Amino acid sequence: MSIDIPTPEIPTAVGQHCYDGESQDQYQQSIGLAMEHLRTYMQEDRFYSGTPAADLQALRSRIQPNPHRTMSMEEALAELKEVYLDYAIRFHHPRYVAHLNCPVVLPALVGDLIASAANTAIETWDQSTSATLIEQEMIRWITQHLQLGFRADGVFTSGGTQSNLMALLMARDHYAYAHYGVNLKEGGWTEEVSRFRIFCSDKAHFSVKKNAALLGMGYQAVISVPSDSQMRMRPESLEHALERERAKGNIPIAVVATAGTTDYGSFDPLERISEIT
Ligand SMILES: Cc1ncc(COP(=O)(O)O)c(C=O)c1O
C-alpha cells in the first residue's frame, strides 16, 4: 500500500530563511516593519482591559490557516495587528494594575530577538556550545548568590510550572533514595510513594498540585497549609499539618515555600519554615 501525500505548497513571500545577504536584508527590514506596529501598539493611549471570548468569535475566521495564500510581510503584519495586537492587553500601560505581568525590560527584548534568530538547540553540547556555557555560568552565579554550596546545580526551564515539577521530582526521588534506598527513576513506583506528602500554603500556585498529579502522586499528596492575614504560610500551622499527616502514617517529603505568591506577592517566612522538619 502506498500513501500519496501531496507536497505542501510553501508560500515564499514571508517564508524565506536567513540564508543569504538578500534574505538577511529582508529580515532587517521586516523587523523594522514589526517595530513600527509595536510602537503604535505601545503608544496607544486607550486602555483596553480585555473582552469576553464570545465578543471575538468573528476573529476566528481570520485565523484559519490557508496554505494556498501567499502574503507579503506587510500583509502578514497588518493581519497580526488586527487579530492580535489590537486585542492584546498592554502590560506597560500606566493604568495596568491587575495580574503580576509586567512590561518587559529592553535587554530582555533584544536578547529574545537574538535568541530567536540564532535558534540554538540547547539540548546537547555539540549543537549549543556557547549557549550552554552561558547557562552553566548563570546557574553557577545564581547558586553562589543564594549560597547553595558548591554541589548546587540546575538548568534553565521554561517557567514556574516546569521549575516546580523538576524541584518536586528531585525532592521525591532524593527522599526515596535517602530513606528507603529506592531508585525511583530506574525501578519505578513503591508502596511508600503513595504515602509521600508535599506541603505548601493555601496561596501557593496551582502548579504544585498539577505537578503532583504529573508525578503520579495525585492532588491528594499536596497538603494545603493555612496562611495569615498577610497571605504568608503560618509556620505553626505547618507544624500541625506535619504532625497530623505523620499520625495518619503519611510521609512528609517536601515543603514548598513561596517567595512572591501569584496573587498577592507575599513571601512565606522562608527561614522559619526551613527550620521546621
Ligand atoms: C508562584 C508561581 N509559581 C509558578 C507559576 C507558574 O509559572 P509558569 O506559568 O511560568 O509555568 C506562577 C505563575 O504565575 C507563579 O506565580
Side-chain angles (χ1 to χ4, degrees), residues 8-24:
E9 283 174 41
I10 300 172
T12 50
V14 292
Q16 292 201 351
H17 298 280
C18 272
Y19 285 138
D20 52 25
E22 194 191 331
S23 57
Q24 284 150 20

Side-chain angles (χ1 to χ4, degrees), residues 99-101 159-165 168 198-215 218-224 256 258 260-264 268:
H99 297 284
L100 67 178
N101 311 58
T161 301
Q162 206 185 69
S163 301
N164 285 344
L165 175 65
L168 290 175
I198 297 157
F199 298 76
C200 63
S201 101
D202 54 6
K203 303 293 179 292
H205 191 258
F206 64 84
S207 58
V208 178
K209 274 192 165 173
K210 187 164 76 174
N211 286 325
L214 280 172
L215 290 170
Y219 290 171
Q220 57 99 38
V222 179
I223 307 299
S224 179
V256 178
T258 306
T261 55
T262 315
D263 293 332
Y264 303 97
D268 288 335

